[in-house]
Amino acid sequence: MGEQQHVVIAGGGPVGLWLAAELRSGGIAVTVVEERTEIDGRSKALTVHPRTIEVLASRGVHEPFLAEGLAIPNGHFALLDDRLDFRDLDTPFPYTLALPQARTEELLEEYALGLGATVRRGHRVTGLTERADSVTVQVEGAQGAYEMSAAYVVGCDGTRSAVRAAAGIGFPGTPSTVLGWLGDVALDRPPRPGFSALTLRGGVMVAPLPGGRFRIVGVSPDGVTTQWPGELTMDELREKTAAVAGEDFGMRDPSWLSRYGNATRLAAEYRRGRVLLAGDAAHQHFPTGGVGMNVGIQDAHNLGWKLVATLKGRAPYGLLDTYDAERRPVGAQLMEHSRAQTALVTTFTTEGLALRSLLSRMIATEPGFRRTLSERLTALDVGYPAADPAAHILTGVRAPDLAFAGTERRLFGLLRPDAYLLLDLTGTGTDAVFGGRARPGLTVHAGTLHRAPAGWEGVSAALIRPDGHVAWAGEETDGAALSRAADKAVAAAIVGSV
């Protein structure tokens, strides 16, 4: 394909690889440029959240993750004693998966390559030049400098994004004032699963890793600083862990020791012309709750189908602009939540511990409060505002994995990155209401719901975006009126559809 059907992605981590797979599934040529020559075995991220598993399931690639990941049906908010329970969440995957980022990257790279993506390792983007109808990307590789021309370039290249810098997109925020610490070790006396504790001496959490190893992460009063104390040592890790937990759990054989800060920044724009940003290139934060990689993959999931529709000439005017409008507020909320949790895990005072105790009891005793935090942590609550204030209440929300009566097929299995899904829920059959509407950019499915989830009672039809969010829903009972409403919704979503 020529440059008009080509996207260059800077960064071959989970975000860039998922975006590459989405583009290739939609028939778009894509080249991933990754500076690392191989996947880094030191996994920054360990947690795959329920919404991310849903994203994987919507493309039929979730099974390897389920097979290898450790399912954990709860999670923490700011290391509070009472944990969030995910088991009552409206999802087929009411748990997080403990899976090292290195393995996540391996699975996603295998998927993207299998779809025909090009991944160039040992190459890095050094600059770009935007033109009216294309963007030229400057790259440095093992054989020297060269250029690639593309319709769009997407920076998935981390907090020090070369793409963001070359595009002149600001990255405002606050510098680091807190340093956490991390060690991947073996433990002779591991604590109970889900162990975490926070006292006046600091906070610590222990998470399992494959191969019987463990990750210990924590914060200490002396970490509330703007001064770099030097590299973390094994003796320091033992001392800090024992100060909080009362023992060091017999830790030995470290494979990774590191510190991390709470610098918090949000890109001024997620899109500027033919340059777009996703993942850590767009947002930086303290890694509370293990959400960073997940938000990045969800950025890519929002962006991928919009690039496919745009490059295939099916996108209504301004569709790509909705990427910034929809995902930048999610990044802003991520900053707010990470800052709030940072305050709670670095409150080494008796007053601070009292606040933590109060909030922890609310998690234990207030189901609504607990569910709200759970849905926000897992991103199951993410919805996008409807352009029309008179739109159905479902417009913009994430569609659950709807089950249809008389069949084993479910909604996630019907979604595609290159097509909207029109659901006929009247039970009268496709030919009766939506016959003949399937076309490029649109698929149709007819069937009644096995059980209507909250908000779906009375819905007779719905148009689902490729990323699984509702574009339109109707409750018309008259077949002709419903058909006209569906035609209008499809025409607004897909150029040339009617």
Side-chain angles (χ1 to χ4, degrees), residues 4 36 44 74 92 140 144 198 256 299 325 333 371 373 443 469 488 496:
Q4 296 306 316
R36 297 170 300 167
K44 291 182 179 180
N74 52 58
E140 183 74 30
L198 192 142
W256 188 27
D299 289 342
Q333 185 182 75
R371 187 180 181 92
L373 286 181
T443 60
H469 285 257
K488 183 178 179 181

Side-chain angles (χ1 to χ4, degrees), residues 185-188 190 207-215 252:
V185 296
L187 298 180
D188 291 330
L209 295 171
R213 295 177 65 79
F214 296 85
R215 172 164 294 176
R252 55 180 171 81

Side-chain angles (χ1 to χ4, degrees), residues 158-160 164 169-177 261-270 279-286 328 330-336 338-339:
T159 58
R160 297 182 176 87
R164 188 186 63 237
I169 298 174
F171 202 37
T174 52
S176 179
T177 57
N262 71 322
T264 305
R265 304 182 186 281
L266 183 67
E269 305 164 87
Y270 278 25
D280 290 348
H283 38 75
Q284 179 182 11
H285 62 98
F286 201 55
R328 195 168 181 276
V330 174
Q333 185 182 75
L334 171 65
M335 294 173 66
E336 180 186 53
S338 64
R339 281 171 166 154

Side-chain angles (χ1 to χ4, degrees), residues 152 154 164 169-172 266-279 281-283 295 298-307 310 318-333 382-385 465 467:
Y152 294 93
V154 185
R164 188 186 63 237
I169 298 174
F171 202 37
L266 183 67
E269 305 164 87
Y270 278 25
R271 180 197 179 192
R272 178 175 288 183
R274 294 182 173 273
V275 180
L276 302 109
L277 304 174
H283 38 75
V295 175
Q298 292 154 29
D299 289 342
H301 199 58
N302 181 284
L303 175 59
W305 71 272
K306 294 174 180 177
L307 281 171
T310 298
L319 179 65
L320 268 187
D321 289 331
T322 67
Y323 171 62
D324 178 276
E326 292 182 347
R327 291 306 297 178
R328 195 168 181 276
V330 174
Q333 185 182 75
V382 171
Y384 305 125
R465 299 177 358 172
D467 62 356

